[in-house]
Amino acid sequence: MSEIATARRSVVAGVGSALPARRVDNAELIERVDTTDQWIVERTGIRSRYIAGDGETTASLAHDACVKALEHAGIAAAEVDLIVLATATPDQTFPSSATKVQAMLGIPDCIAFDVHAVCTGFLYALTVADSMLRSGSAKTALVIGAETFSRLLDWEDRTTCVLFGDGAGALVLRAEEGTRGILATKLHADGRHNDLLFVDGGPSTTGTVGKLRMKGREVFRHAVVNLADVLNEVLGIAGLTSADVDWVVPHQANVRILDATARKLGLPPEKVVVTVDRHANTSAASVPLALDTAVRDGRIKRGDLIVLEAMGGGFTWGAAALKY
Ligand code: COA
């Protein structure tokens, strides 16, 4: 590994996550659609997911994740001067869910806005927050991925409804001088593919919320290529190679995508954090949820070199390299 230069960086001060109370395993879905536990497990690796109930929303889950992340960081909510929330399922079309979280946390004034890049949303939010922290526009940020995708699902479409779940994850980022923190980020979008994964409604078209539609096999094909490429790109920007990586924390869409991407990069499967079996695909929430899981179970330790990656509708995709 080449030496990491001392600079003003966005350091991960704390992590937190939140899940709805209700866990739904594959057996429950078999009663709703023509599927089997074996098909879901073999094709996706998913065994269960959490589904939001009455009163549980994107903003309420985001708030709960933030409380835990602030506690983990030992930082008071009053110190937060930036909230960036990634979601494709805001509580309302407006105001932003970020401002709802701000109000719930009792922060009288800060910068707060939502970012929308579907499953890549957290990487987009992290990149924006990192730029603002390094430029000096803010000092302490909450970067959140939070979703209630269950409310966009067509519960009669077996090809999509078994794949997704709800949840939230949050990071507290602090601008600090040093060698720890975010080392590099890289984002992409290619709007030519926006008919492969989309919602068939919206305020400016149908006036309805709509339902998620996906051509899964085609998305899969793009995902493995794009994710391996962007991970190589971000490692190159940071002056690292895959041999330097302690942990990959990927977007959790399908365990076969995780395995194929790791193989392409020559990374052993033991270095890949997998939570898709328990959480399913929680879109923008999946990366911070997986990161929080691996920090709290003791796998990820201070000083570890971590790469994050995600790909989603648009298409959008991106990656980040950080020293935890
Ligand atoms: N239960 C049982 N059978 C199912 C099913 C289900 N829940 N969903 C689909 N099938 C059937 C299909 O109808 C198809 O049947 P057919 O061959 O008779 O037409 C068969 O299973 C194979 O479908 P296919 O779509 O080719 O399966 P796949 O191996 O590609 O797996 C996905 C489907 C969706 C799991 C997979 O393509 C995937 O994970 N794609 C990427 C998803 C993703 O990453 N999305 C989010 C990006 S953010």
Side-chain angles (χ1 to χ4, degrees):
M1 189 191 307
S2 54
E3 192 136 323
I4 297 168
T6 295
R8 181 177 165 103
R9 295 188 190 282
S10 310
V11 175
V12 181
V15 291
S17 67
L19 291 162
R22 195 162 89 84
R23 184 174 159 274
V24 174
D25 59 19
N26 291 346
E28 202 176 324
L29 294 182
I30 291 161
E31 292 166 19
R32 286 180 94 147
V33 285
D34 179 18
T35 189
T36 61
D37 179 55
Q38 191 189 354
W39 190 96
I40 302 171
V41 173
E42 279 178 6
R43 296 296 180 114
T44 71
I46 297 166
R47 293 179 184 278
S48 63
R49 73 286 292 142
Y50 291 81
I51 301 292
D54 289 347
E56 288 175 321
T57 69
T58 291
S60 78
L61 293 167
H63 164 265
D64 294 351
C66 287
V67 168
K68 290 188 194 143
L70 287 165
E71 205 174 84
H72 186 226
I75 287 174
E79 289 182 54
V80 171
D81 53 7
L82 171 66
I83 300 176
V84 189
L85 190 157
T87 190
T89 48
D91 284 24
Q92 294 148 261
T93 302
F94 74 82
S96 69
S97 295
T99 59
K100 296 188 84 169
V101 172
Q102 176 200 2
M104 284 188 241
L105 290 171
I107 302 169
D109 184 23
C110 69
I111 305 166
F113 56 95
D114 290 358
V115 161
H116 185 346
V118 210
C119 298
T120 320
F122 186 75
L123 270 302
Y124 270 72
L126 192 73
T127 302
V128 171
D130 177 45
S131 307
M132 293 180 72
L133 291 179
R134 283 188 296 108
S135 72
S137 347
K139 172 97 179 69
T140 306
L142 278 168
V143 186
I144 311 159
E147 303 276 16
T148 43
F149 254 53
S150 63
R151 291 178 180 143
L152 288 180
L153 296 177
D154 175 351
W155 287 100
E156 314 221 306
D157 175 9
R158 69 175 185 171
T159 68
T160 53
C161 77
V162 302
L163 303 174
F164 295 89
D166 302 331
L171 302 190
V172 181
L173 288 186
R174 273 209 116 150
E176 280 173 21
E177 200 70 30
T179 56
R180 271 200 312 133
I182 296 175
L183 306 176
T185 61
K186 182 69 193 167
L187 301 176
H188 290 279
D190 183 350
R192 287 173 300 175
H193 301 297
N194 63 26
D195 60 337
L196 297 180
L197 175 52
F198 64 100
V199 167
D200 61 6
S204 179
T205 50
T206 59
T208 62
V209 171
K211 297 289 177 212
L212 182 146
R213 307 291 171 205
M214 177 166 71
K215 296 186 181 129
R217 205 179 305 177
E218 291 176 60
V219 175
F220 191 106
R221 203 164 43 79
H222 285 275
V224 176
V225 176
N226 289 348
L227 290 170
D229 284 353
V230 77
L231 278 172
N232 274 326
E233 269 183 293
V234 88
L235 287 171
I237 297 166
L240 304 166
T241 68
S242 53
D244 299 316
V245 173
D246 293 306
W247 295 103
V248 187
V249 183
H251 172 49
Q252 309 282 323
N254 184 322
V255 79
R256 290 187 295 137
I257 297 178
L258 307 191
D259 291 345
T261 309
R263 254 199 319 273
K264 249 181 150 240
L265 286 166
L267 283 161
E270 310 83 71
K271 289 191 172 187
V272 182
V273 176
V274 179
T275 55
V276 68
D277 53 331
R278 286 169 271 170
H279 301 154
N281 181 347
T282 57
S283 189
S286 88
V287 169
L289 244 171
L291 181 63
D292 183 55
T293 303
V295 166
R296 288 190 192 253
D297 69 21
R299 273 179 289 171
I300 293 180
K301 296 187 178 57
R302 283 288 174 200
D304 282 353
L305 201 296
I306 306 171
V307 286
L308 317 175
E309 49 92 325
M311 145 111 188
F315 290 138
T316 53
W317 65 104
L322 65 92
K323 203 168 170 62
Y324 178 65

